[in-house]
Amino acid sequence: MATLRTVALPSGDKTVALGQGTWRMGEKGGDRKREVAALKLGLDLGLSLIDTAEMYGEGGAEEVVGEAVKGRRDEVFIVSKVYPQNASRRGVALACERSLKRLKTDRIDLYLLHWRGNEPLSETVAGFEALRAAGKIRHWGVSNFDAEDMEELFALPQGKACAANQVLYNLKHRGPEFDLLPWQAKRKIPLMAYSPLEIGALANRGETKRIAERHGVTTKQVALAWILRRPDAIVIPKASDPDHVRQNRAAIDLILTKQDLTELDTLSPPPSRKAPLSMI
Ligand code: NAP
């Protein structure tokens, strides 16, 4: 099996550019077998980064991930997230212990603050750094942070140790291209693009369909390849359907042409001014 293209974190460690999301997994017991099987299939195909959170299924998704990585933990890069209300210095330590237990592992590869809440950022960073020193997490980062939030983070002692920012970025939501992504690129902080397939009506537009037809793929694969055109992007589609997992894996081999990209720019133009970061 060929290894997938990788993206470097600021530390120099690398992870695959295409991973697997888990939101809405672990919510219904009856779906668990199928969800575990989908994640395992993804791992077999090289989608070795799995993104989860204590929020998803209130811990249920982390349990699904724990089951999927059983016996193969070392080949997987696990990302999880702490609720903002748990993000005090002591709170992150306790939340991390609970996540490790559900994930049935001794470490999380990348631990993110899910979104900004009321806890001072300095407390969260101190908590993350303590977890890193203890070997419970390998890297930490943030999610749903706009450029001003990143500035604030970087002004803190140890704030520059942030390894990634996970935000809503897809063909329909190009806002981060205006200032956030250039800011991150300058500091070599990769983008983790969430909800990469949520492009709504754009999937049914003639332009998208024509591009998909030209390449013999689906419009969803075009949506993934469009994000994967960026060398700094880690893309994390969620799929419980095995056919979706296979299609997503194939999307990393799809290289969009200049003509495709121009057509997609016409359909969804890049931002010409600052807009607040959208969140799902
Ligand atoms: P998404 O991955 O863009 O879309 C998931 C939906 O698309 C599911 O209904 C899935 O169906 C379907 N799908 C997957 N592959 C497909 C394909 N090849 N063709 C057609 N449909 C396909 O949305 P998301 O789950 O919101 O985002 C992805 C991940 O990002 C999440 O799971 C989560 O890990 C993360 N996330 C993070 C945040 C944050 O605040 N940090 C917010 C949202 C999401 P099946 O399941 O039936 O296959």
Side-chain angles (χ1 to χ4, degrees), residues 20-25 34 50-53 55-56 81 112-115 143-144 166-168 170 193-199 218 220-221 224 236-248 279-280:
Q20 309 185 72
T22 63
W23 188 22
R24 304 209 169 88
M25 288 190 181
R34 189 165 183 263
I50 301 182
D51 179 81
T52 189
M55 183 188 109
Y56 303 161
K81 311 183 200 80
L112 308 177
L113 171 61
H114 210 147
W115 64 89
S143 177
N144 297 299
Q166 184 177 120
V167 296
L168 176 63
N170 59 36
Y194 75 67
S195 304
L197 298 165
E198 303 293 350
I199 61 167
T218 69
K220 297 291 179 130
Q221 287 174 301
L224 291 179
I236 46 169
K238 174 261 181 184
S240 311
D241 178 325
D243 287 338
H244 288 163
V245 177
R246 286 190 195 92
Q247 286 167 19
N248 295 347
M279 251 181 99
I280 287 191

Side-chain angles (χ1 to χ4, degrees), residues 15 29 37 40 55 75 92 123 155 161 172 183 195 219 224 251 258:
T15 185
K40 282 174 138 177
M55 183 188 109
E75 60 180 274
V92 288
E123 285 294 298
K172 192 173 143 200
W183 190 97
S195 304
T219 54
L224 291 179
K258 229 174 172 175

Side-chain angles (χ1 to χ4, degrees), residues 223-237:
L224 291 179
W226 180 82
I227 309 177
L228 287 162
R229 81 199 185 288
R230 296 184 62 99
D232 61 349
I234 299 166
V235 187
I236 46 169

Side-chain angles (χ1 to χ4, degrees), residues 1-2 7 70 75 81 100 114 116 148 163 169 189 205 209 230 235 256 261:
M1 180 188 66
V7 173
K70 204 164 146 194
E75 60 180 274
K81 311 183 200 80
L100 289 171
H114 210 147
R116 270 197 89 164
E148 311 81 67
Y169 178 66
I189 310 278
R205 288 289 296 266
K209 282 183 164 170
R230 296 184 62 99
V235 187
L256 297 175
L261 295 175

